[in-house]
Amino acid sequence: MESIQLRVTGMKCGGCVSTVEKILNNSDGIENVSVNLLTESAYFEITQKHIEIESVLENLKENGFPSKIYINDFSKKINKAELEKKKKWNNQWKKLTFALLLLLFSGLGHLAEGRYLNFPILGNIFFHASLATLALLFPGRGIIINGLKSFIKNHPDMDSLVALGVISAYTTSLLSLIFPATGFPCFFNEPVMLLGFILIGRYLEERARYQTGSSIGELLDLQPEMANIYTEENQIKSIRVNTLRPDQEIQVLAGDRVPADCIVTRGNSYVDVSHITGESKPIEVKEGENLSSGSLNLNSTLRLKVKKVGGDSSLAKLVNLIESVNARKPRIQSIADEIAGKFTYFVLIFATLTFFFWWKGAKTIWPDLLSHNHELITHSSHTLHSSLGSNAENFLSLAIQLSIAVLVIACPCALGLATPTVITVASGKAAKKGVLFKGGDKIEIASKINNIIFDKTGTLTKGKPFIVDYKNNADHSFLLKIAASLEKESRHPIADALIQEAKKENLSLFPIKKIFTHSGRGISGELESIDGVINIGNIEWLLSKGIIIDHDAKKVIENEETKTNTIIGVSIKDKLLGFILLGDLLREDSIKTVQNLRENKFKINILSGDRKQTVLALAKKIGCKETEVKWDLLPEMKLKTIENLKINNKVAMIGDGINDVPALASSDLGIAVGSGTQIAKANADVVLMGDQLNGLPYALNLSKKTIRKIKQNLTWAFGYNLLAIPLAAGILFPKYGILLTPSIAALLMAISSITVVINALSLD
């Protein structure tokens, strides 16, 4: 299946999200749809080879959501993002400036009418009718057109509610002006104030929303625009980064960033790679070492050979991964979006009921309500202040005002933004610490974890074994040569240790004839110039293969000095050739990480394929009891252990190797160490970049805070509407004489959305 990402414009609230999801879900050949309001994007997978994407885009456009396929060219993405951002801000600023100007004149009109300002034209009703008309035609035009389109197509959204409120206020005022006998209220200032407050709110909301996604912008800023390449004459030439090609050699001066994934061909320096690992401490690099794009060269000039450029670079993949976090929603967000999709229908019905109640029903219940509440009743229906509820002259006027207030104050925007804003902030903060969540749903799962399982080799240890000693064979070089020859096509850390040691001793290795990998046990095969099948692996596996290990050999491997080391045996045919002892260093932060997790009430287990004595020695160092560790485990045994633990716990598995992939996939949350194999990272839900574990407690703690923030936002969004809508409908008017004007309702609606976003930004 192919994954597609769309940039979707026109979404303003959770109702819009629900509508876009329905359109995509109803399209043939599309599944796993996820739409995000904050990033204005949609993700889905294509299940059919020949699907007309253009028809899907056209359908979205017809329903008020113009869309285009997301640009995946990294160099264009950087420029495109900046240009689109500037264009969007300019358009918003123009609309807001015009709306504020109209709002200023409307406010001055109140002063002129009250004779606080000697400027008669400002208090003229026709002048204010002109202001309202301009407000609808220019700053409000997009809102009104989009809102009416959505309403006509039977998927009303926030714009629909605002459009209906503004048009109702304008039409009522116009009828009152043309036909005074109707008794309709005249409040031309309401459309001006409504649109002004809404545009102010949206501008501030966009500013805050932009800040929530700033981590992606910061990563894009790490990509330099220019690079210095070496010409054929060994001269320096400056070119644009998007024209770089693999195998070109470049110069990176101190203070410059690396423009692509490269390998150092000359020089040594200290480099800041915190954008990848989250570790602020610079690392020393020298000839032959790899550097990721975006790394900052600190103190010496480097000559580098380009390996990967553009979208293939590690920086581009990191940006893509962070962007795709929102492709998979937490369950709590899906529920909120579904509610928001139906919410606008509820508001429309409630506004209609409000209108008829105050027009026809209220006069029966409280016949003297208006005269009782208003000793100073203005009899001119053209007064600019008739929009204030306390000056409503009749029940029809009151009904119109309150129904408009209900339309405007309702806020599905807050529901739509409640979750994605927090998820985006959380994923950005985690990325800065070197932790990558592969979806918002993974953050939700991480918040529920209470049991953490560690693999040993490559996870708690550095995964870079080194040869400690040789046993049961006097010809160490031959023993190493046989082992390294057969292991040279393996990616296991032990294989790497053997090959590196063989290189140090300048051993020429035998060519491989046949090779077979036995997961969790060892490796077997045949080498040229060697007669017979060779087996290399753990002792139990060699015994099961019929390899003869005599009494003296067993005494060697059971010696106290060898118990804490990993032992592999090497055999030819059924004869034992000897043993190789390997050691591995504990990661610097393993002990501190485990202690931190215990302090936070997490259960800890260690599952390892290594032998008992080695595993127990490590467990003792990091403070684990014997009951918390298991040893001599094959991959399927790890899997069974995890399944048993999952019965009563939410389990996270942390591993690094191919052998850990089934366990990572089976656990509730699979966590891969960044220095591990690609297949482990591909199958994990969370990746700890670099070679540190200290990001793990931070990530789990952050996930809990994230879910708390989401619940706070949703509580606010639901609570706001639960209180605001009845208040706008006039529930307090009969007893206390308290009413909300439509313009104040608009201001409260904007504040609601901004509050949700600001609360997300307060995540620490």
Side-chain angles (χ1 to χ4, degrees):
M1 287 192 295
E2 182 185 357
S3 296
I4 298 290
Q5 181 179 351
L6 299 180
R7 286 292 189 203
V8 184
T9 55
M11 294 194 297
K12 298 295 187 300
C13 63
C16 301
V17 171
S18 181
T19 300
V20 173
E21 285 186 342
K22 284 178 183 176
I23 292 170
L24 293 173
N25 279 318
N26 291 334
S27 301
D28 292 335
I30 289 178
E31 63 180 37
N32 297 328
V33 175
S34 179
V35 180
N36 189 280
L37 175 61
L38 179 68
T39 58
E40 297 180 309
S41 56
Y43 303 81
F44 56 86
E45 292 178 343
I46 296 175
T47 57
Q48 298 176 7
K49 289 184 179 179
H50 305 291
I51 181 172
E52 293 290 339
I53 291 293
E54 292 302 323
S55 64
V56 175
L57 297 178
E58 186 62 30
N59 192 8
L60 286 168
K61 185 178 179 181
E62 287 176 0
N63 283 277
F65 304 104
S67 307
K68 54 187 175 182
I69 296 176
Y70 178 72
I71 188 166
N72 203 28
D73 186 314
F74 190 58
S75 60
K76 289 182 182 178
K77 182 188 291 184
I78 297 167
N79 300 328
K80 191 86 170 176
E82 191 61 30
L83 288 173
E84 286 184 351
K85 183 177 71 176
K86 286 181 178 178
K87 184 179 178 182
K88 192 171 183 179
W89 283 115
N90 285 336
N91 289 337
Q92 279 199 327
W93 181 246
K94 287 176 184 176
K95 286 182 181 179
L96 181 60
T97 304
F98 194 16
L100 289 175
L101 188 62
L102 296 176
L103 195 60
L104 174 63
F105 280 117
S106 181
L108 292 174
H110 285 285
L111 296 176
E113 190 200 17
R115 297 181 182 178
Y116 296 106
L117 189 65
N118 188 20
F119 212 129
I121 191 173
L122 293 178
N124 187 285
I125 192 67
F126 293 99
F127 176 73
H128 284 268
S130 302
L131 290 182
T133 304
L134 288 172
L136 267 64
L137 290 177
F138 294 100
R141 183 175 57 193
I143 294 174
I144 293 168
I145 292 173
N146 292 333
L148 292 179
K149 276 185 179 178
S150 299
F151 182 74
I152 292 167
K153 290 181 179 294
N154 197 30
H155 49 76
D157 55 19
M158 190 62 232
D159 278 357
S160 301
L161 299 179
V162 173
L164 290 172
V166 170
I167 290 172
S168 298
Y170 181 79
T171 305
T172 302
S173 301
L174 198 61
L175 289 172
S176 176
L177 181 62
I178 299 171
F179 307 107
T182 60
F184 285 171
C186 183
F187 36 67
F188 281 115
N189 61 326
E190 286 298 348
V192 177
M193 296 178 74
L194 277 172
L195 291 170
F197 286 142
I198 285 168
L199 288 171
I200 290 171
R202 287 193 179 177
Y203 180 79
L204 295 174
E205 181 187 314
E206 281 295 329
R207 286 287 300 270
R209 283 168 63 177
Y210 172 72
Q211 287 180 317
T212 65
S214 61
S215 59
I216 294 175
E218 289 172 11
L219 285 174
L220 291 174
D221 289 340
L222 298 180
Q223 178 71 57
E225 291 185 10
M226 307 298 291
N228 295 327
I229 66 166
Y230 287 94
T231 64
E232 292 181 0
E233 296 78 25
N234 210 35
Q235 299 296 310
I236 298 295
K237 179 183 177 183
S238 185
I239 65 169
R240 287 200 164 275
V241 166
N242 57 6
T243 62
L244 270 181
R245 297 291 177 265
D247 296 327
Q248 285 182 315
E249 292 206 335
I250 62 173
Q251 179 193 65
V252 178
L253 303 173
D256 287 351
R257 291 198 178 272
V258 179
D261 288 358
C262 303
I263 187 168
V264 181
T265 57
R266 188 183 302 168
N268 63 288
S269 182
Y270 280 91
V271 176
D272 179 359
V273 294
S274 57
H275 69 293
I276 294 288
T277 66
E279 177 57 53
S280 58
K281 185 179 178 181
I283 62 169
E284 185 178 6
V285 297
K286 50 194 174 182
E287 188 176 329
E289 295 192 9
N290 293 305
L291 280 178
S292 299
S293 55
S295 301
L296 178 63
N297 184 19
L298 295 176
N299 62 338
S300 298
T301 300
L302 293 172
R303 183 165 179 155
L304 310 174
K305 186 175 184 179
V306 177
K307 304 299 288 183
K308 293 180 180 179
V309 298
D312 295 326
S313 70
S314 55
L315 180 61
K317 290 178 179 177
L318 181 61
V319 169
N320 288 338
L321 184 58
I322 295 174
E323 285 181 327
S324 66
V325 165
N326 294 291
R328 300 177 71 176
K329 296 181 184 180
R331 186 178 60 87
I332 196 170
Q333 182 181 345
S334 299
I335 295 171
D337 284 346
E338 188 175 341
I339 292 171
K342 297 178 174 62
F343 183 72
T344 46
Y345 290 101
F346 164 76
V347 174
L348 288 170
I349 293 169
F350 196 85
T352 304
L353 293 175
T354 299
F355 174 79
F356 283 105
F357 173 79
W358 287 107
W359 181 29
K360 296 295 184 182
K363 66 173 69 174
T364 305
I365 303 171
W366 306 291
D368 300 323
L369 179 64
L370 293 181
S371 59
H372 176 73
N373 277 281
H374 319 302
E375 296 175 1
L376 299 175
I377 297 178
T378 306
H379 294 284
S380 170
S381 64
H382 290 169
T383 175
L384 297 175
H385 293 283
S386 64
S387 61
L388 298 176
S390 59
N391 288 329
E393 297 171 12
N394 53 57
F395 283 102
L396 176 60
S397 173
L398 186 64
I400 293 172
Q401 293 175 53
L402 294 183
S403 58
I404 291 172
V406 169
L407 287 172
V408 174
I409 204 166
C411 193
C413 299
L415 282 174
L417 291 170
T419 300
T421 48
V422 185
I423 292 294
T424 302
V425 171
S427 58
K429 286 184 176 292
K432 289 178 182 178
K433 293 286 187 180
V435 180
L436 296 181
F437 287 97
K438 293 186 179 179
D441 56 333
K442 307 307 178 189
I443 296 177
E444 186 175 28
I445 294 169
S447 70
K448 301 174 182 177
I449 295 298
N450 69 324
N451 195 330
I452 300 172
I453 298 172
F454 286 94
D455 172 50
K456 183 183 81 71
T457 305
T459 303
L460 289 169
T461 66
K462 290 187 175 180
K464 296 181 179 179
F466 54 91
I467 294 176
V468 176
D469 202 358
Y470 303 90
K471 298 291 184 182
N472 225 53
N473 189 308
D475 191 351
H476 297 168
S477 293
F478 182 69
L479 180 61
L480 176 61
K481 186 175 180 178
I482 292 292
S485 296
L486 196 62
E487 293 273 13
K488 66 185 177 185
E489 292 187 3
S490 171
R491 291 188 175 273
H492 196 279
I494 288 178
D496 187 60
L498 297 172
I499 294 163
Q500 294 303 320
E501 189 67 23
K503 285 181 180 178
K504 286 182 185 177
E505 297 188 17
N506 294 319
L507 300 178
S508 56
L509 303 182
F510 297 110
I512 295 174
K513 290 168 64 178
K514 293 180 182 178
I515 186 170
F516 304 95
T517 298
H518 306 269
S519 183
R521 297 176 173 89
I523 192 169
S524 64
E526 297 180 21
L527 299 172
E528 289 187 11
S529 305
I530 302 296
D531 182 29
V533 175
I534 299 164
N535 292 299
I536 305 171
N538 62 51
I539 308 305
E540 290 74 15
W541 179 63
L542 292 178
L543 288 169
S544 71
K545 298 284 286 185
I547 308 304
I548 300 170
I549 300 178
D550 59 29
H551 180 70
D552 292 337
K554 286 182 180 179
K555 283 181 66 178
V556 169
I557 61 176
E558 290 173 1
N559 188 290
E560 287 297 324
E561 293 181 7
T562 66
K563 281 184 178 181
T564 58
N565 294 310
T566 298
I567 298 178
I568 60 168
V570 182
S571 68
I572 301 178
K573 294 183 180 178
D574 61 352
K575 181 182 177 183
L576 180 70
L577 193 61
F579 301 115
I580 301 176
L581 274 63
L582 298 112
D584 197 358
L585 296 174
L586 202 64
R587 291 186 190 270
E588 290 85 351
D589 60 346
S590 289
I591 296 174
K592 187 176 180 181
T593 297
V594 172
Q595 287 176 345
N596 192 330
L597 291 169
R598 283 193 187 282
E599 288 171 2
N600 284 285
K601 311 301 182 186
F602 288 100
K603 301 175 187 175
I604 305 295
N605 293 95
I606 300 173
L607 305 182
S608 176
D610 217 334
R611 62 188 188 137
K612 180 178 180 179
Q613 292 85 349
T614 307
V615 178
L616 289 178
L618 178 135
K620 186 177 180 181
K621 288 180 183 178
I622 64 172
C624 284
K625 301 174 185 176
E626 185 172 339
T627 54
E628 295 174 326
V629 301
K630 290 184 180 291
W631 50 86
D632 290 330
L633 297 179
L634 298 175
E636 56 268 28
M637 296 164 71
K638 284 185 181 181
L639 198 62
K640 187 175 180 180
T641 302
I642 288 172
E643 291 296 335
N644 289 334
L645 286 171
K646 282 171 62 180
I647 295 172
N648 297 311
N649 300 280
K650 288 293 182 181
V651 177
M653 168 73 191
I654 307 160
D656 74 305
I658 295 173
N659 293 345
D660 299 321
V661 171
L664 290 172
S666 172
S667 61
D668 294 302
L669 189 75
I671 305 172
V673 180
S675 56
T677 61
Q678 288 298 323
I679 190 170
K681 287 186 279 189
N683 284 273
D685 303 312
V686 182
V687 178
L688 304 177
M689 304 301 288
D691 59 356
Q692 300 293 312
L693 290 175
N694 54 20
L696 177 60
Y698 174 80
L700 295 174
N701 187 39
L702 179 68
S703 67
K704 286 181 168 60
K705 289 181 179 179
T706 300
I707 298 304
R708 279 201 297 270
K709 282 288 181 187
I710 289 173
K711 289 178 179 178
Q712 287 172 11
N713 275 357
L714 289 174
T715 300
W716 165 255
F718 281 113
Y720 162 83
N721 284 299
L722 195 63
L723 294 173
I725 292 176
L727 189 61
I731 194 172
L732 299 180
F733 184 56
K735 188 171 182 180
Y736 301 102
I738 296 174
L739 284 176
L740 293 181
T741 69
S743 53
I744 296 300
L747 184 61
L748 290 175
M749 183 273 291
I751 290 172
S752 175
S753 297
I754 296 167
T755 301
V756 163
V757 181
I758 291 174
N759 188 45
L761 288 169
S762 68
L763 180 70
D764 55 18

